[in-house]
Amino acid sequence: MKFGVVLFVALIGFFSGHSYSSEQDPVNEIVSQVTKLDNPQLADSAAFVSHDLSPWGMYLAADVIVKTVMIGLLLASIVCWGIFIAKLIYLNKSKREGRALLVKLLNSHNLKMAEQGLTQEPSTAKLLIQACLHELILSSNNATTSDALKERVAARLDRVKAELSADMNKGTGVLATIGSVAPFVGLFGTVWGIMNSFISIAKTQTTNLAVVAPGIAEALLATALGLVAAIPAVVMYNYFSRSITAYKSQLLDTVTVIMTILSRDLSAKDSQAKPLEQLIDYQQIKAAGK
């Protein structure tokens, strides 16, 4: 029967004298329709193959809500990498300058030597010694005691250290937020896309997976992008948490050294101060150190 229909249409086309292109050939069209009627699964497979299943093709074919989710997740990923690069450079620079200042302070016998050892280049750690010197200038206008001066300098240094720590923590909250929220945003896009796929099943009245698989693949791409944004953000946040903790410890060491130098200077001006040999057996300690 099928062969008879095809032969009949071919004879009509031959006698009519019309030329058809391969896309407009009625014989091919009738054969295709008959094939679809005889084998609907083959037709569904052809429809599945016709979809562009590359990431870009799935993005173009996705629903507008899913597209918005994908764009948002890509922007979040770009923000994460921007924060990571900028903060990594800033943190490493601050730690390097802090180590250099700490070495200079450890080799300084008094605050005057510490001030002379400072470079003209701006530095975050240098704010600590500058805060100490500024407090000494302000306290020089009035009479004071050693204990009161130490308290004021310690308070200023603690405030500066807290400000430097807070400044170094900027941006890490964004990484934590993206790392925790991005998977759920991607999941929302996936749920929305799968919902649309089930709606298309109801409209087409077919349960063949080849019909709805492209829509499900497009929806799952949103979850994949959510993980692409979230996983690096969590790794970056954990890295900066450890590095900033080490930076805070370095600032605390610097504050301790500054207070030690200040105490040494105050002891040198104290009328009740005594030579070290009268307080401890310095010669024995010096010999043991050698």
Side-chain angles (χ1 to χ4, degrees), residues 142-161:
N142 301 307
T144 184
T145 62
S146 298
D147 293 338
L149 182 60
K150 288 180 182 179
E151 289 179 2
R152 289 194 294 271
V153 172
R156 288 285 297 271
L157 293 179
D158 286 342
R159 190 65 256 162
V160 174
K161 180 170 70 68

Side-chain angles (χ1 to χ4, degrees), residues 88-107:
L88 182 64
I89 296 173
Y90 180 63
L91 179 58
N92 289 337
K93 179 175 179 291
S94 298
K95 291 173 70 174
R96 184 173 60 252
E97 293 171 348
R99 283 193 298 268
L101 176 62
L102 187 59
V103 171
K104 292 179 181 178
L105 292 176
L106 288 172
N107 295 324

Side-chain angles (χ1 to χ4, degrees), residues 4 15 17 44 55 61 63 69-70 79 116 129 145-146 152 194 224-226 237 251 267 269:
F15 287 109
D44 292 339
D63 182 77
V69 170
M70 291 180 182
V79 169
Q116 290 175 350
I129 187 67
T145 62
S146 298
R152 289 194 294 271
I194 292 177
L225 291 176
Y237 177 79
L251 292 178
S267 296
K269 300 293 183 179

Side-chain angles (χ1 to χ4, degrees), residues 73-282:
L73 292 173
L74 286 176
L75 291 177
S77 180
I78 294 173
V79 169
C80 284
W81 285 104
I83 292 175
F84 175 74
I85 295 173
K87 185 156 290 294
L88 182 64
I89 296 173
Y90 180 63
L91 179 58
N92 289 337
K93 179 175 179 291
S94 298
K95 291 173 70 174
R96 184 173 60 252
E97 293 171 348
R99 283 193 298 268
L101 176 62
L102 187 59
V103 171
K104 292 179 181 178
L105 292 176
L106 288 172
N107 295 324
S108 300
H109 299 288
N110 50 53
L111 287 175
K112 185 176 181 180
M113 289 183 61
E115 183 181 8
Q116 290 175 350
L118 294 178
T119 60
Q120 298 298 325
E121 298 179 0
S123 170
T124 55
K126 210 168 75 171
L127 294 175
L128 292 169
I129 187 67
Q130 289 175 345
C132 175
L133 296 174
H134 184 253
E135 182 57 37
L136 292 178
I137 294 174
L138 295 177
S139 299
S140 63
N141 296 327
N142 301 307
T144 184
T145 62
S146 298
D147 293 338
L149 182 60
K150 288 180 182 179
E151 289 179 2
R152 289 194 294 271
V153 172
R156 288 285 297 271
L157 293 179
D158 286 342
R159 190 65 256 162
V160 174
K161 180 170 70 68
E163 291 177 357
L164 291 176
S165 299
D167 181 66
M168 192 57 69
N169 278 318
K170 289 181 179 179
T172 56
V174 177
L175 297 177
T177 301
I178 293 176
S180 59
V181 173
F184 296 100
V185 176
L187 183 61
F188 166 74
T190 299
V191 171
W192 186 272
I194 292 177
M195 181 184 68
N196 288 335
S197 296
F198 280 110
I199 293 175
S200 66
I201 291 176
K203 290 181 178 179
T204 57
Q205 296 182 353
T206 178
T207 58
N208 195 325
L209 188 61
V211 177
V212 298
I216 296 176
E218 296 160 6
L220 291 175
L221 181 61
T223 297
L225 291 176
L227 295 177
V228 167
I231 293 175
V234 173
V235 174
M236 294 171 190
Y237 177 79
N238 291 334
Y239 170 78
F240 284 129
S241 295
R242 295 189 299 269
S243 298
I244 292 175
T245 300
Y247 174 72
K248 291 179 180 179
S249 178
Q250 186 183 82
L251 292 178
L252 182 59
D253 292 341
T254 305
V255 170
T256 302
V257 174
I258 292 174
M259 293 302 300
T260 302
I261 296 175
L262 176 62
S263 177
R264 192 182 299 142
D265 281 355
L266 294 176
S267 296
K269 300 293 183 179
D270 192 352
S271 59
Q272 298 180 355
K274 298 179 181 180
L276 186 61
E277 290 80 1
Q278 298 181 13
L279 299 176
I280 59 175
D281 192 354
Y282 175 70

